[in-house]
Amino acid sequence: MDTAGMRVGVFLGGTFAQQPGMTNLVDRAVEFAHEVADAGVRTVWFGQAADYDAPQLAGLVGRAEPRVSVGTSVVPMYPRHPLLLAA
């Protein structure tokens, strides 16, 4: 199997947002994105948590760190409007 086109990503789940002394969740997520981009990882994934909205966080991180592609894993759809999810 040819692995030349394989991309490796990292998943940032809800636990990254629960570190002691952390004051700004978005800033910490952007710091993580910079760290993984410096390490050569090109994709960052977010899962929904109670203390942040995964699609919004992915958008903010993607804007702040253009070297990585961002995505979301499991996101509850029922409280969101379909046009928001389609965007």
Side-chain angles (χ1 to χ4, degrees):
M1 178 170 113
D2 181 20
T3 59
M6 184 185 310
R7 295 190 330 168
V8 176
V10 65
F11 173 76
L12 298 179
T15 57
F16 89 92
Q18 299 169 356
Q19 296 177 342
M22 189 184 68
T23 58
N24 190 314
L25 183 137
V26 174
D27 288 343
R28 186 61 187 136
V30 170
E31 288 174 16
F32 269 127
H34 292 313
E35 290 173 21
V36 298
D38 291 342
V41 178
R42 295 295 174 240
T43 57
V44 177
W45 294 85
F46 296 96
Q48 184 64 41
D51 50 353
Y52 64 85
D53 183 60
Q56 288 182 351
L57 188 59
L60 292 169
V61 169
R63 182 173 187 254
E65 178 51 78
R67 296 178 293 170
V68 297
S69 298
V70 294
T72 59
S73 58
V74 178
V75 176
M77 294 176 50
Y78 60 89
R80 292 172 172 79
H81 193 278
L83 291 177
L84 176 65
L85 289 172

